[in-house]
Amino acid sequence: MFESALPLVEEFDRLESQLADPATHTDPVLMRRVGRRYASLRPIVETLAAHRSIAADLEAAKELAQLDDGFHDEVAELQERLDEVTARLTRLLAPRDPNDDADAILEIKSGEGGEESALFAGDLLRMYQRYAESVGWGVEVMDAQNTDLGGFKTVTIAVKGVAVEGVGPYGRLKFEGGVHRVQRVPVTETQGRIHTSAAGVLVSPDVEAEEIEINDQDLRIDVFRASGPGGQGVNTTDSAVRITHLPSGVVVSCQNERSQLQNREQAMRMLRSRLAAIAEAQAAEAASQARRSQVRTVDRSERIRTYNFPENRFADHRIGFKAHNLDLVLQGALTPVLDALAEADLAERLGTAR
């Protein structure tokens, strides 16, 4: 029934041999790549083994039930367990993005709404930080451009962690890409009126330098003095770096670190992530559709989410998800909506595969 899993079992065995080889541990890049793939395949291999074992037990129980009616209850119980394992294995083997087990890079940008939008970008940042903490993932702030009231014009973070069921931070958070709309009374509003503003989120996989080739001749690198409130030491030298990838037009910048070299390394990491997401989008129409749902222009017309503070309401417009627990969502309680988005995506992928 699951013949497509057999090559994955063979690959898992090869990776296990590699992990047992001391030479693998001397190469950190190879070790991370092998370890990540091994971890993503483990649930498939273990679930396939469970499926085979339960199926064999079920056949034996059916034969015994023909001789003794007392085995009918066992047949029913084993059939139920087999159905559950079959459904799980079907999910694990469904067509998927190749970077689902990767770490993620999230860029949050303020849009229409001025300072209120920048403050909302800060709220989204904290929401993702708290969600990551709740599942045991780490968050690294790669770059940030603050505003005077404590918001962010733009902030870029890396979310790192161990894949669960073959799904890492990117596979879990990739549907966060798009325009997020907020409705509330801004702190700067003196008349108590509700305002609507928006912030955009862009999600891409965090890939190793060896995983994507970038020609130095395709890059234009500019350095400039970092900007931001507070007059920090970082603002006194031309340490900020902006990199333009000429073939694609992708532009990334970093000013968070104190040295130009560190900022360049972080900017290159962001660039690799963006290019990997573009390559993935070009590889499959489903991925292309997901990419088009992400940020193009941060205005209120392209919203994927609404965060309504007066009603404590949280809504994802792509799947019709609604909840009246916005206060908890902003504390990182994203699991219900992320599960619903993953289920909708799985249904689409299974439908495409048929």
Side-chain angles (χ1 to χ4, degrees):
M1 182 177 179
F2 294 107
E3 291 86 356
S4 62
L6 299 181
L8 299 179
V9 174
E10 295 173 358
E11 182 185 357
F12 181 82
D13 292 338
R14 290 195 301 271
L15 293 172
E16 196 166 50
S17 298
Q18 272 189 280
L19 289 173
D21 185 351
T24 302
H25 296 262
T26 63
D27 186 339
V29 174
L30 176 62
M31 182 62 192
R32 282 195 299 272
R33 185 164 63 245
V34 172
R36 193 174 76 183
R37 181 61 175 164
Y38 180 82
S40 71
L41 290 178
R42 178 188 286 273
I44 296 175
V45 173
E46 292 179 344
T47 306
L48 183 62
H51 186 276
R52 288 172 172 167
S53 176
I54 296 171
D57 290 345
L58 177 60
E59 288 302 312
K62 286 180 177 179
E63 291 179 5
L64 291 172
Q66 293 177 351
L67 304 174
D68 186 342
D69 290 343
F71 284 94
H72 285 301
D73 288 343
E74 184 176 349
V75 169
E77 179 184 343
L78 287 169
Q79 185 63 60
E80 183 178 351
R81 287 174 55 195
L82 184 63
D83 291 343
E84 292 174 356
V85 173
T86 299
R88 181 169 181 245
L89 193 53
T90 300
R91 289 195 300 271
L92 290 171
L93 291 175
R96 48 173 292 189
D97 294 340
N99 290 310
D100 270 0
D101 59 349
D103 293 335
I105 290 181
L106 278 72
E107 181 181 357
I108 306 169
K109 301 179 69 172
S110 63
E112 288 188 6
E115 187 66 50
E116 165 62 10
S117 175
L119 290 170
F120 180 51
D123 292 334
L124 292 176
L125 169 64
R126 286 182 286 276
M127 178 181 75
Y128 293 129
Q129 287 175 321
R130 288 162 180 164
Y131 171 73
E133 291 169 1
S134 73
V135 295
W137 290 342
V139 175
E140 170 195 358
V141 177
M142 300 178 67
D143 189 50
Q145 295 182 37
N146 305 75
T147 61
D148 292 330
L149 293 183
F152 293 92
K153 293 180 181 178
T154 178
V155 57
T156 302
I157 61 173
V159 182
K160 312 173 188 179
V162 177
V164 178
E165 296 278 298
V167 179
Y170 175 69
R172 188 64 167 159
L173 296 172
K174 63 184 178 181
F175 302 113
E176 292 301 295
V179 175
H180 299 238
R181 184 180 70 166
V182 61
Q183 296 172 322
R184 66 182 174 188
V185 178
V187 294
T188 55
E189 169 60 51
T190 58
Q191 304 297 320
R193 295 171 297 186
I194 296 174
H195 287 223
T196 298
S197 60
V201 178
L202 184 65
V203 187
S204 49
D206 190 2
V207 298
E208 300 286 351
E210 293 75 11
E211 294 181 53
I212 186 164
E213 184 177 349
I214 300 177
N215 192 329
D216 289 341
Q217 295 178 343
D218 290 337
L219 303 178
R220 185 176 72 238
I221 301 176
D222 303 302
V223 296
F224 57 98
R225 186 158 298 182
S227 61
Q232 304 98 320
V234 71
N235 299 337
T236 62
T237 62
D238 291 338
S239 60
V241 174
R242 180 187 300 110
I243 300 178
T244 303
H245 184 252
L246 300 174
S248 66
V250 172
V251 180
V252 295
S253 63
C254 185
Q255 63 175 26
N256 222 45
E257 306 295 340
R258 287 187 173 270
S259 81
Q260 188 182 118
L261 177 61
Q262 290 173 314
N263 281 324
R264 175 171 173 156
E265 290 175 349
Q266 291 287 56
M268 284 298 297
R269 186 174 164 194
M270 296 179 203
L271 177 61
R272 287 194 300 271
S273 177
R274 294 271 196 94
L275 294 180
I278 291 172
E280 181 180 319
Q282 293 172 341
E285 178 61 22
S288 178
Q289 291 173 354
R291 183 69 184 178
R292 285 196 296 270
S293 74
Q294 296 202 25
V295 176
R296 294 184 292 277
T297 57
V298 183
D299 61 34
R300 291 188 288 269
S301 65
E302 298 186 56
R303 67 187 185 277
I304 62 165
R305 291 260 178 82
T306 294
Y307 303 71
N308 186 302
F309 277 70
E311 299 177 11
N312 197 33
R313 177 168 53 83
F314 172 80
D316 191 294
H317 306 292
R318 295 164 295 181
I319 55 174
F321 182 96
K322 291 183 181 180
H324 286 82
N325 64 340
L326 177 57
D327 51 340
L328 296 178
V329 168
L330 292 173
Q331 293 296 320
L334 286 170
T335 297
V337 68
L338 293 179
D339 284 347
L341 286 164
E343 286 297 322
D345 177 63
L346 174 64
E348 182 179 348
R349 286 184 285 127
L350 289 174
T352 301
R354 290 191 179 99

